[in-house]
Amino acid sequence: MAQYDVVIIGGGPGGYNAAIRAGQLGLKVACVDKGVDGGSTLGGTCLNVGCMPSKALLHASEMYDSAANHFAELGIDVAPKLNLTQMMAQKAISVGQLTKGIEFLFKKNKVDWVKGAGRIAGAGKVEVMGSDGVATTLEAKNIVIATGSLPAGLPGVTLDQQRILDSTGALSLSEVPKSLIVIGAGIIGLELGSVWRRLGAQVTVVEFLDRICPGMDTEVAKTFQRTLAKQGMVFKLSSKVSGAKASKTGVSVTVEPVAGGAAETLKADYVLLAIGRKPYTEGLGLETVGIAPDKRGFIETDHWKTSAPGVWAIGDVTLGPMLAHKAEEEAVACIEAIAGKAGHVNYAIIPNVVYTSPEVAWVGKTEEQLKAEGRAYKSGKFPFTANSRAKINHETEGFVKVLADSVTDEILGAHLIGPHVSEMVGEYCVAMEFRAASEDVARICHPHPTRSEALRQAAMGVEGWTMQA
Ligand code: FAD
Ligand code: NAI
């Protein structure tokens, strides 16, 4: 029986980063992965059917939209023609290169990649069922569960991946829908809704709550919704879907007001169900080591340790935001803890990004959270209309908002909506990790002309001395 210091089940951002870190620290490590949606490549949801393919389509569709609608303003007259087959092909090529990259990193760090479905078979044992039906057992001093998550279902809406799709289906349509109904105004719904709207679909988003993107600062969410609506996305808030019926050519969706009242039927070519994801622990053998997931199926941990000795859990399968970089943080900390080091994750400083246009990015507390905590705070805000780089690039939608403690001036949250803010929020992550005051950012020289100057001007605003607006 092969013996390991660490056997990791799952090869997504949690699992593959854990495996690489374990290899770096000289631990004997195997990563068991069964692939996602019938595939056999490493990288989990993120690389195969999540972050990477969605960003590939967001980038390509934004280029198409720019060429069709914005180049003329810059003095470039073109008439773009969509080649969806090529758009999908370039996505697949990039994804293939990225998943191969993980294979290379496994070899470089002496990680054994064991292909197949892993199942815990009692303390210190992982049984792997290969696609050839042959089972092997690995012996492990430590088992790390990194099995990730799956799309959540909705009663009355049966996924067929033909007309009623989850995110995986919506990432690989072979035609542009004339109309698309998105159930759920969360991150997947708005990112993939944006992709297909830009390519020509009429997109209607049905959301249970009276707002989009729960968890996002409300002021930002309102601006975001207004912007998406201006782009042509239609929102039906405070509405619930009670059923969807697919035919060969389309789908009928029954929508009811949450507050009660008459139901209406909406028709579309396709439906995308995006109401969240659920932890994935099916067939994992948790009962063999006495682990009972919580009511929603998550594995509870204390510093990545489960209730079973020698069994750890990280990433989407545990509580916390379902984000690739959260899984990666936990991977490093968990393996360092296994290696006897001081693993640490600062859960207060995990950034969030929505990769639409404009982008939305934030880190730390929202105004609503600070109010609920009764924390006295000040805020500074700066619009991109007053930022010279944004202005010359004709990308002036949005603003930066900084929230700081009223007494100490420590930065408590930063909320950005605007051009390329995904690349800018990291500055506030660093500042907050160093427990910077807003004045620190306000007094740091930023290059001109850049969008990053908006970060500084907003920080100046906390003490009321924003200079350029
Ligand atoms: P996963 O990536 O889900 O990996 C788990 C792996 O374990 C899979 O390969 C699975 O097949 C395997 N597995 C499961 N059970 C077993 C078993 N018993 N035996 C062997 N293998 C098993 N996050 C971001 O931070 N940024 C983004 O831009 C972003 N975009 C996204 C877009 C979409 C459309 C989706 C769906 C998700 C997106 N996410 C994004 C979320 C991100 O993909 C997840 O948070 C991340 O992949 C979680 O990593 P993980 O390692 O915990 O699990
Ligand atoms: P989500 O949790 O972001 O949004 C789900 C939305 O659906 C919420 O607004 C919710 O109120 C709504 N909803 C729930 N039940 C509903 C119902 N019955 N009818 C109508 N609306 C309903 O989940 P989503 O978008 O599916 O994404 C799943 C996860 O993937 C998220 O947790 C996110 O962290 C991750 N992700 C991250 C991305 C990024 O970082 N850019 C991109 C895509 C996904």
Side-chain angles (χ1 to χ4, degrees), residues 396-409:
T396 52
E397 212 125 31
F399 57 83
V400 176
K401 179 166 75 173
V402 181
L403 309 174
D405 187 279
S406 283
V407 179
T408 65
D409 194 29

Side-chain angles (χ1 to χ4, degrees), residues 1-5 7 28 138-140:
M1 205 182 300
Q3 297 190 332
Y4 291 94
D5 295 316
V7 170
K28 186 158 166 51
L138 313 177
E139 211 161 87

Side-chain angles (χ1 to χ4, degrees), residues 55 154 183-189 191 206-209 213-214 239-241 274-277 322-323 353-355:
K55 265 77 259 179
L154 181 64
I183 310 176
I187 306 193
I188 291 182
E191 285 189 353
V206 182
E207 164 62 44
F208 188 84
L209 300 175
C213 294
S239 301
K240 62 180 179 194
V241 170
I275 58 164
R277 293 176 62 85
M322 286 180 158
L323 295 171
V353 175
V354 191
Y355 294 84

